[in-house]
Amino acid sequence: MKIVFNIEPQQQERPRATGRGRFIRVYDPPKTAKFKRELKQLARIEMQGKDKFDGAIKVTIRFFRRVQKSISKKEHARRTKGHVRPIVKPDLDNYIKSTLDALNGVIWTDDAAIVELNTSKWYADDPRIEIEVKET
C-alpha cells in the first residue's frame, strides 16, 4: 500500500513538563501535537474501509521538506531535482518518531510489527510524506 500525505513533516520535539512534586504532567509541544493530530486524521481518512496491518511489515517513508527561501534559483533547482539532499536539522530520526507515533493504531495495529524501516529526507516545493507499507 502506498500513501501520500500532503502535510509538511514535523520533527518530534522534546516533551514539555508541567506541575510539581508527584503531579507532573508530560506533553508534546503544540507544533508536534498539532502535526500528530492532523497526520492521524489524514491517515484515518485514507484507511476508511481498509484493515490495519497486524502482522510483520516493512515500511518505507520519504520525507519531503520545503526548500529554504534564501538560496539562488540554480541551487533551488538542484535541490528539488534531488542532486542535493537535506543535511540540516531536523534530524531524520525526529521525523520518524513523530510520524510513527501519529500513524500507530491507524495504519498498523502496533508499530512493534515494523520489522524493517527505510527512510530518507528530500527537498521539494510541495512538502509531503510518502509511505509504503508491505507485509513481509
Side-chain angles (χ1 to χ4, degrees):
M1 164 188 296
K2 290 183 183 180
I3 308 170
V4 176
F5 296 108
N6 292 313
I7 186 172
E8 184 149 9
Q10 169 66 38
Q11 67 182 354
Q12 175 68 46
E13 298 173 305
R14 292 195 185 277
R16 306 285 193 262
T18 186
R20 296 179 186 207
R22 298 186 341 215
F23 304 102
I24 295 176
R25 183 178 148 253
V26 179
Y27 61 95
D28 279 330
K31 277 178 71 174
T32 302
K34 181 179 183 237
F35 168 78
K36 287 180 180 180
R37 273 193 317 274
E38 290 175 357
L39 183 58
K40 186 177 288 269
Q41 185 60 35
L42 291 171
R44 283 186 180 132
I45 292 167
E46 191 67 38
M47 291 299 290
Q48 283 180 342
K50 299 175 187 164
D51 293 331
K52 295 178 204 170
F53 290 90
D54 61 356
I57 54 174
K58 172 185 175 181
V59 178
T60 302
I61 307 174
R62 285 179 287 288
F63 298 99
F64 292 86
R65 57 170 288 163
R66 195 176 305 277
V67 180
Q68 298 92 329
K69 293 179 182 176
S70 61
I71 59 170
S72 68
K73 288 182 182 179
K74 184 177 180 181
E75 182 61 21
H76 181 92
R78 291 182 66 225
R79 292 180 184 199
T80 55
K81 290 179 182 172
H83 299 296
V84 176
R85 301 275 297 276
I87 57 170
V88 296
K89 292 190 182 268
D91 299 346
L92 186 58
D93 60 325
N94 292 328
Y95 278 153
I96 294 167
K97 179 71 176 140
S98 62
T99 302
L100 293 183
D101 283 355
L103 300 177
N104 200 33
V106 180
I107 294 180
W108 42 77
T109 308
D110 188 350
D111 56 8
I114 300 172
V115 297
E116 187 174 333
L117 180 63
N118 298 303
T119 59
S120 57
K121 287 193 303 188
W122 300 87
Y123 283 117
D125 287 326
D126 54 331
R128 64 193 181 278
I129 300 170
E130 296 179 356
I131 296 180
E132 185 175 349
V133 182
K134 293 181 182 177
E135 292 180 327
T136 60

